[in-house]
Amino acid sequence: MSEDCICQFVIFGATGDLASRKLLPSLYHLQCAGLLPEELQIHAVGRRPWDDSGWLEFLREQLESFAGDFHPEHFEKFAARFHYVRGELHEADLYQNLAKQLTKDGAQQPERSIFYLAIRPQDFFTVLQNLSAAGFHRDGDYRIVIEKPFGNDLESAIQLNEQIHRHFREEQIYRIDHYLGKEIVQNLLVFRFANLPIEAVWNRNFIDHVQITVAEDLGVENRAGYYDQAGALRDMVQNHLMQILTLVAMEPPPSLEADTLRDEKVKVLRSIRPIPKTAIHAHAIRAQYGPGIIDHQHVPGYADEPGVAPNSITETFVAAKFYIDNWRWRGVPFYLRTGKRMPTKSSSVAIRFRHTPQQLFRETPIDRIEPNWILLSLEPESLKIELHVKEPGLEMRIRPTQLNASYRRDGEKELDAYEALLLDVLEGDKALFIRFDEVEWAWRAVDPFIKRWSREMDYIITYPAGTWGPEEATRIMDKEDQFWRNQL
């Protein structure tokens, strides 16, 4: 750990689903790996009427359920770091109690701390305002970690940012998108910029189009209250998919320092071609899953899920097309797609090259040579290049083959995205966190869809659960020979 490491870690919403499934297991795995500083103290904030022993019983239950490799000997050391702080987010006493716990004897102000807001977005400002009143403010060495969504549209995102900056500096804010913590996403930078043959063809002269897909086989589960207000566009496209798009399309940064990396990502977002009001339906389609079959089991449609509003037209599927108007990408469509209740859980980037310019094999049994692909799977991890080779035999026939460039060897453990990002927060490294101008320009890209769809409240097309979405999703594609790459 660096000398800048902050050794007080406060989790607001410590008894919530995000903390149970992601934060606590990730911190525990870092403990098992010996990557947490010895002096780190973790303060769990919740409303439940517990003392430390009640919290530790809950902590053990959650780790046994979600950590995957629970070891009692590691748990004892991990549990010794924790203190439970009971209180309501709107009550000033909670923050005064925190200030006392985080203040060293004789100190004038609380010790340097991380505050992780694993809470509802509508409670962000309440917590930040109370933290500032209790002595945690822009003049101190504090780090604020905020989970998405960062607003509900462009206007609300700007308002939220202004509220945050009343009490904290931009340098203190860590906006987290766990997709950026995935090793395979970071490997995309290495794949592009450390391999001359790849970077040389990574442009509009060679690439026909780019597809980015994030598919989920689950429905809304226990998130209906949030999801029915947000939908797939806000929940996935504006953040996860847009962040992947920037990494695929960005120019080589001069270094991997946080701001130089994020400057290049913002340039991509600012170069996205504005979509006219009259062209919304040519650039995007939304849909909602209906009843269907997944893993040989019948599942209900979205409208029948518990907690979903009657007659809801919230989209659970979005396919959208964007153009990046710069020297590298002018004219190349970027197709983004996400959906729930699809056949399998997967995340991928599929890059199709242009057709070869010479029909060298036109007088042979080869009728047509299909374009080459680069196939990057984020989940499960793989990186492949699809080429053509001659089939064995006397005739001139070809078949596709894949060169596997995946980097993980047998026995090498995958680092969870949250583990990587939590380490970066502790170290003060913001390279994989989102700056506000990234948030703003991503909202500008999708805001035309939000405004148009907010006026179309009568009808939404549906697709059967267990499929890859509605057939209409192909209508946004520019050419007849373009198709969604479902299998890699």
Side-chain angles (χ1 to χ4, degrees):
M1 285 291 167
S2 73
E3 61 182 10
D4 294 329
C5 174
I6 292 182
C7 293
Q8 299 284 351
F9 197 110
V10 181
I11 303 176
F12 288 95
T15 60
D17 191 63
L18 173 64
S20 293
R21 292 178 178 271
K22 294 294 184 181
L23 301 185
L24 297 175
S26 294
L27 287 168
Y28 171 74
H29 290 148
L30 293 176
Q31 167 76 42
C32 296
L35 295 175
L36 294 181
E38 288 295 327
E39 61 272 30
L40 181 68
Q41 296 293 303
I42 306 174
H43 307 266
V45 179
R47 294 183 298 173
R48 301 187 188 185
W50 293 335
D51 55 14
D52 281 353
S53 62
W55 160 257
L56 293 180
E57 182 180 347
F58 171 82
L59 176 64
R60 187 182 186 109
E61 292 174 354
Q62 302 313 300
L63 294 179
E64 288 177 343
S65 297
F66 301 113
D69 52 354
F70 182 80
H71 301 288
E73 64 276 13
H74 289 302
F75 176 75
E76 296 303 322
K77 294 180 180 179
F78 187 55
R81 298 179 181 273
F82 276 89
H83 307 279
Y84 183 72
V85 185
R86 179 189 175 190
E88 297 285 344
L89 297 180
H90 63 276
E91 293 179 350
D93 288 347
L94 167 63
Y95 304 89
Q96 295 300 329
N97 291 336
L98 265 179
K100 292 177 182 178
Q101 285 199 23
L102 304 184
T103 303
K104 287 186 174 180
D105 294 339
Q108 295 296 315
Q109 66 176 15
E111 192 177 8
R112 296 153 49 195
S113 308
I114 293 169
F115 299 98
Y116 200 115
L117 276 57
I119 55 178
R120 303 180 305 168
Q122 52 265 46
D123 292 327
F124 286 169
F125 184 61
T126 297
V127 171
L128 297 178
Q129 190 175 37
N130 279 292
L131 281 173
S132 180
F136 309 95
H137 44 66
R138 61 188 301 119
D139 297 328
D141 192 354
Y142 308 114
R143 298 170 190 169
I144 311 296
V145 185
I146 299 178
E147 284 274 349
K148 74 171 185 71
F150 314 116
N152 295 311
D153 53 21
L154 176 60
E155 182 179 356
S156 64
I158 293 174
Q159 290 176 348
L160 174 61
N161 192 58
E162 290 175 348
Q163 291 174 340
I164 291 172
H165 286 175
R166 292 178 195 173
H167 304 289
F168 296 93
R169 307 184 309 276
E170 177 66 23
E171 304 84 63
Q172 295 172 288
I173 307 301
Y174 289 69
R175 298 177 186 85
I176 193 168
D177 185 331
H178 72 271
Y179 265 65
L180 297 182
K182 292 179 178 291
E183 285 190 279
I184 190 68
V185 173
Q186 298 172 53
N187 196 36
L188 176 59
L189 296 177
V190 177
F191 182 68
R192 282 193 56 189
F193 301 131
N195 296 290
L196 185 61
I198 298 300
E199 181 59 18
V201 298
W202 205 266
N203 56 61
R204 60 190 173 92
N205 296 322
F206 297 94
I207 292 178
D208 178 74
H209 72 273
V210 177
Q211 298 180 25
I212 301 173
T213 297
V214 176
E216 299 177 275
D217 55 353
L218 298 176
V220 291
E221 295 187 294
N222 58 354
R223 299 177 66 222
Y226 157 74
Y227 196 89
D228 204 40
Q229 299 298 317
L233 185 68
R234 292 181 174 94
D235 188 51
M236 297 295 292
V237 177
Q238 186 273 338
N239 38 75
H240 296 331
L241 275 73
M242 279 293 178
Q243 285 296 314
I244 297 173
L245 180 148
T246 62
L247 294 177
V248 172
M250 65 186 283
E251 295 298 318
S255 72
L256 289 180
E257 294 177 359
D259 279 331
T260 59
L261 186 64
R262 295 187 291 183
D263 286 346
E264 297 302 331
K265 291 164 65 182
V266 171
K267 289 178 185 177
V268 172
L269 294 170
R270 295 190 66 163
S271 299
I272 292 178
R273 184 185 303 174
I275 300 173
K277 296 179 182 178
T278 56
I280 296 298
H281 292 301
H283 281 258
I285 183 171
R286 61 173 180 162
Q288 184 183 100
Y289 68 81
I293 299 175
I294 295 181
D295 290 335
H296 309 291
Q297 294 187 354
H298 289 274
V299 296
Y302 178 77
D304 299 320
E305 297 277 16
V308 173
N311 302 318
S312 171
I313 59 163
T314 297
E315 77 281 357
T316 63
F317 174 94
V318 173
K321 174 174 62 179
F322 297 94
Y323 294 98
I324 300 171
D325 287 341
N326 60 21
W327 283 94
R328 183 184 290 266
W329 295 112
R330 174 79 180 189
V332 177
F334 283 71
Y335 300 119
L336 277 56
R337 176 179 60 158
T338 186
K340 287 188 174 294
R341 286 298 191 200
M342 302 184 89
T344 184
K345 178 179 176 64
S346 65
S347 302
S348 64
V349 178
I351 298 169
R352 198 185 88 167
F353 287 89
R354 296 186 181 278
H355 288 278
T356 55
Q358 183 183 14
Q359 293 300 319
L360 178 64
F361 303 99
R362 61 180 177 272
E363 295 180 0
T364 73
I366 302 172
D367 295 329
R368 177 182 175 87
I369 298 178
E370 295 299 324
N372 305 111
W373 291 79
I374 289 178
L375 305 170
L376 174 70
S377 176
L378 311 181
E379 192 171 1
E381 290 184 359
S382 69
L383 203 165
K384 300 174 182 176
I385 301 175
E386 196 167 270
L387 303 174
H388 299 290
V389 297
K390 181 185 177 299
E391 287 186 359
L394 297 177
E395 293 187 323
M396 180 60 73
R397 298 185 182 276
I398 63 172
R399 64 186 179 197
T401 189
Q402 292 186 340
L403 303 182
N404 192 329
S406 300
Y407 70 98
R408 193 177 304 284
R409 297 173 181 172
D410 292 342
E412 289 183 333
K413 183 180 178 182
E414 179 182 357
L415 185 69
D416 184 83
Y418 272 93
E419 295 172 32
L421 293 171
L422 288 173
L423 275 180
D424 284 348
V425 175
L426 288 167
E427 292 280 8
D429 184 352
K430 300 189 71 175
L432 298 179
F433 293 84
I434 302 173
R435 206 167 59 191
F436 178 70
D437 50 356
E438 293 180 67
V439 176
E440 178 181 356
W441 285 98
W443 276 121
R444 289 183 184 277
V446 303
D447 222 39
F449 304 137
I450 292 175
K451 291 178 179 178
R452 180 60 178 265
W453 292 346
S454 68
R455 297 194 298 269
E456 298 176 350
M457 304 296 291
D458 299 329
Y459 173 75
I460 186 170
I461 63 175
T462 60
Y463 60 98
T467 67
W468 286 100
E471 294 180 359
E472 292 90 337
T474 59
R475 79 180 186 202
I476 67 172
M477 293 187 159
D478 286 356
K479 304 174 184 176
E480 290 186 0
D481 70 337
Q482 292 178 349
F483 58 91
W484 289 107
R485 185 78 189 235
N486 297 328
Q487 303 296 330
L488 302 187

